[in-house]
Amino acid sequence: MRFPVIHVTQLLLLALCSWGEEEFQWTQTDRGSFYYGMFPPGFTWGVGSSAYQTEGAWDKDGKGQSIWDVFTHKKGKTFMNQTADSSCDGYYKVQEDMDLLKELKVSHYRLSISWPRLIPTGIRAESVNEKGIKYYNDLIDVLLENKITPIVTLYHWDLPHTLQEKFGGWQNITMITYFNDYANLCFEKFGDRVKYWITFSNPWSIAVEGYETGEHAPGLKLRGTGVYKAAHHLIKAHAKVWHSYNKHWRSRQNGLVGISLTTEWGEPVDISSQKDIEAAERFVQFNFGWFANTLFNGDYPQIMKEYIGQKSSQQGLGISRLPSFTSQEKAFIKGTSDFLGIGHFTTRYITSRNFRATQGPSYFTDRDLTELVDPKWPEPESKWLYSVPWGFRRLLNFVKTQYGNPMVLVTENGVSEKMLCAQLCDEWRIQYLKGYINEMLKAIKDGVHIQGYTAWSLLDKFEWDEGFSERFGLYYVEFKSKSKPRYPKASVQFYKKIIKANGFPNVREVENWHRISTETCSTTNQLLAAEEQRNAAANLLRLIYDPLTSHMEMVTEIVVPTVCTLCILISAVLLMILLRRKS
Ligand SMILES: *[C@@H]1O[C@H](CO)[C@@H](O)[C@H](O)[C@H]1NC(C)=O
Ligand SMILES: *[C@@H]1O[C@H](CO)[C@@H](O)[C@H](O)[C@H]1NC(C)=O
């Protein structure tokens, strides 16, 4: 379930005031025009992906099953019951995808390691899969040969299934130990070459969609309780791994360990209403502060503790559904992110609303708010992903003022389109990237310490419960074809130009990029259409041939002799007729 989004017609007043030093100004709304300028020298540009979404080869070379393999193999969990069993076949296409990265001229590539590919049962002491280690070793080596920095995520949602089945997954505190053992294996095997580590990608989604709504694997609906417990263990596991790295590997390997938090921005509907301002703050704290405040300031946001505590006691519970940290734990967790990875896609307007405690515990009702979208925002291609570039700048400034201006890496930003047939002229994505990257540039001018940007994503790929119906790629993937060919969308050309220039030089040039990008895509579009027709024809032939091949034995044993006998008989009859006529 996504929380209901209602259109709001209220007009918003533009108010110009200056940034507060300590506190974020919720009423500041600077949505000025396009800013032409450059990124600081050394700013890094990249693209991202994740293992389950792209690798395929789900049961090859000794890989164990993940919770996503099991979840997608159950019917009714994903769009059209689709799975990522083969997906982009990235496992077999390392060199091909490297060529795409070279074409883009990115300086970094964000990828994730599949825990069950390295450790089939999840428990390092039980077994380690050498073929899995070889695969990631080769991938990392090829990246470095091409001067592309790998940014490696340890956990992008594919928990080894055995850990879920036997021990309850992230509901069980012992996951911390297993995850730490796995992380140490990765540092040992790859840490000589990998210098940027991300423990978890989007822990909000792991907890909320995995354990509250059940839309994602493992599909549990432990409303208002399991969700907080899962997050509690994820945070502790992150801290544990950071300390492991700090103690045993940092001096030798000199890398950084961070986390990637994905969050929407929440803006008050009415900036003159204190209730709306507070509701918007609750939205951001329940989504982002839940993890960021804990890692950077040492505890859950005060507002979460208050709201969940209050609701819990109204529900007759003796103790808050939000677990608490001891003071030793707080000290252990605080300051355990060398950089902050930010994933960001869209924004909501927020207004306050009281949910009665009798509705039963739920993460969503704990927040007491309603999410809205502005009907004036352009209609999105995927129903949830509205393009609201200014929200990005607001979020980045919030990071600066709330968490002591940490080093930020934008780890995910991009947009999807819903398409039934091939469409390489992705005007919508070009506009989106242009707007969001520009707001990020403004945030850097505001003093936010952003070091790199990762466009999400390199390829169209498996989008979890949405299957292949949402396409996030800069490259189009033809999933229907067995060879999974990749085709550049227009946004490849446009993003390339931003990377090459390291910013937006001037109106004329940026408009020129735009024109060139859309020109080249129309010719590629025609090529793809021809390819699709070939595929359709090939599929048709396969349909005709398949029944034939499966009946081949019958054909040779029965049909062939029968046909031969018939031929001989017919020839004999014809011969007789011929002979009679002659006589
Ligand atoms: C997915 O599986 C469910 C349950 O078996 C079935 O009812 C549904 O028709 C399937 N959907 C498609 C598109 O095959
Ligand atoms: C948690 O995991 C451990 C093994 O690590 C297991 O012994 C224990 O039974 C699990 N607890 C629950 C509640 O499943």
Side-chain angles (χ1 to χ4, degrees), residues 241-284:
V241 165
W242 184 89
H243 280 283
S244 285
Y245 190 83
N246 208 38
K247 212 164 150 192
H248 306 297
W249 305 100
R250 193 187 294 279
S251 60
R252 261 178 290 166
Q253 301 186 343
N254 280 310
L256 302 174
V257 177
I259 194 166
S260 173
L261 305 178
T262 301
T263 186
E264 296 173 352
W265 177 247
E267 188 74 6
V269 165
D270 176 359
I271 52 168
S272 63
S273 150
Q274 193 56 33
K275 283 186 99 175
D276 280 4
I277 292 171
E278 285 170 11
E281 171 158 16
R282 277 201 303 284
F283 175 82
V284 176

Side-chain angles (χ1 to χ4, degrees), residues 177-463:
T177 312
Y178 300 135
F179 182 66
N180 186 52
D181 290 347
Y182 156 62
N184 275 288
L185 175 68
C186 294
F187 298 150
E188 181 189 319
K189 299 289 180 187
F190 314 122
D192 55 335
R193 288 153 294 153
V194 175
K195 303 300 163 190
Y196 291 88
W197 293 100
I198 290 168
T199 53
F200 293 102
S201 186
N202 196 352
W204 180 90
S205 179
I206 300 168
V208 174
E209 295 180 288
Y211 294 88
E212 167 93 16
T213 68
E215 287 172 300
H216 283 183
L220 299 175
K221 294 178 182 155
L222 311 169
R223 295 213 164 92
T225 54
V227 63
Y228 296 123
K229 206 170 167 184
H232 204 65
H233 294 152
L234 290 168
I235 290 167
K236 285 184 172 182
H238 165 87
K240 175 88 183 164
V241 165
W242 184 89
H243 280 283
S244 285
Y245 190 83
N246 208 38
K247 212 164 150 192
H248 306 297
W249 305 100
R250 193 187 294 279
S251 60
R252 261 178 290 166
Q253 301 186 343
N254 280 310
L256 302 174
V257 177
I259 194 166
S260 173
L261 305 178
T262 301
T263 186
E264 296 173 352
W265 177 247
E267 188 74 6
V269 165
D270 176 359
I271 52 168
S272 63
S273 150
Q274 193 56 33
K275 283 186 99 175
D276 280 4
I277 292 171
E278 285 170 11
E281 171 158 16
R282 277 201 303 284
F283 175 82
V284 176
Q285 296 292 5
F286 266 77
N287 194 322
F288 185 57
W290 191 4
F291 303 95
N293 200 72
T294 310
L295 297 177
F296 286 89
N297 300 334
D299 200 0
Y300 290 127
Q302 189 57 30
I303 223 158
M304 279 187 87
K305 293 198 284 185
E306 272 170 28
Y307 269 69
I308 302 164
Q310 215 171 58
K311 298 251 162 165
S312 302
S313 70
Q314 284 164 7
Q315 284 152 352
L317 302 169
I319 182 172
S320 175
R321 288 180 279 102
L322 181 71
S324 56
F325 296 110
T326 65
S327 47
Q328 287 102 312
E329 284 170 342
K330 287 179 196 172
F332 186 74
I333 292 165
K334 187 175 174 179
T336 57
S337 210
D338 299 324
F339 62 89
L340 179 55
I342 300 277
H344 178 68
F345 296 92
T346 189
T347 283
R348 294 284 180 263
Y349 276 113
I350 308 295
T351 184
S352 78
R353 168 181 173 187
N354 290 327
F355 289 97
R356 267 178 287 137
T358 51
Q359 284 174 302
S362 143
Y363 163 86
F364 291 98
T365 57
D366 281 344
R367 306 177 306 172
D368 271 352
L369 56 86
T370 301
E371 299 176 33
L372 314 162
V373 297
D374 189 331
K376 291 197 296 314
W377 288 344
E379 195 59 37
E381 298 219 2
S382 291
K383 64 184 183 304
W384 62 280
L385 213 172
Y386 289 82
S387 176
V388 192
W390 54 261
F392 195 20
R393 181 183 183 184
R394 306 274 287 145
L395 171 65
L396 292 166
N397 271 280
F398 181 84
V399 168
K400 175 185 144 199
T401 56
Q402 297 277 306
Y403 310 121
N405 204 9
M407 170 186 154
V408 168
L409 268 179
V410 175
T411 41
E412 289 178 21
N413 175 243
V415 74
S416 55
E417 72 255 313
K418 288 233 180 210
M419 290 182 309
L420 293 174
C421 49
Q423 174 53 266
L424 300 177
C425 298
D426 55 345
E427 177 67 26
W428 174 248
R429 182 170 291 102
I430 290 178
Q431 292 294 354
Y432 181 98
L433 290 177
K434 187 177 161 192
Y436 274 76
I437 292 172
N438 199 246
E439 291 297 316
M440 174 174 69
L441 177 57
K442 291 181 193 169
I444 290 175
K445 304 290 166 193
D446 296 334
V448 186
H449 181 27
I450 309 166
Q451 196 184 297
Y453 174 85
T454 314
W456 193 259
S457 52
L458 176 65
L459 303 174
D460 289 339
K461 58 197 182 327
F462 184 79
E463 286 304 326

Side-chain angles (χ1 to χ4, degrees), residues 74-81:
K74 288 180 192 154
K75 298 288 177 205
K77 299 294 182 190
T78 61
F79 175 80
M80 303 280 279
N81 300 324

Side-chain angles (χ1 to χ4, degrees), residues 18-57:
S18 58
W19 299 112
E21 270 305 300
E22 296 302 318
E23 243 169 90
F24 184 79
Q25 298 296 304
W26 290 82
T27 50
Q28 149 103 27
T29 49
D30 176 7
R31 288 160 210 173
S33 55
F34 201 81
Y35 178 89
Y36 290 92
M38 294 301 161
F39 283 85
F43 188 84
T44 89
W45 298 95
V47 284
S49 74
S50 86
Y52 182 69
Q53 291 179 283
T54 56
E55 280 177 7

Side-chain angles (χ1 to χ4, degrees), residues 125 131 160 310 401 539 565:
K131 284 186 177 166
Q310 215 171 58
T401 56
N539 282 337
T565 320

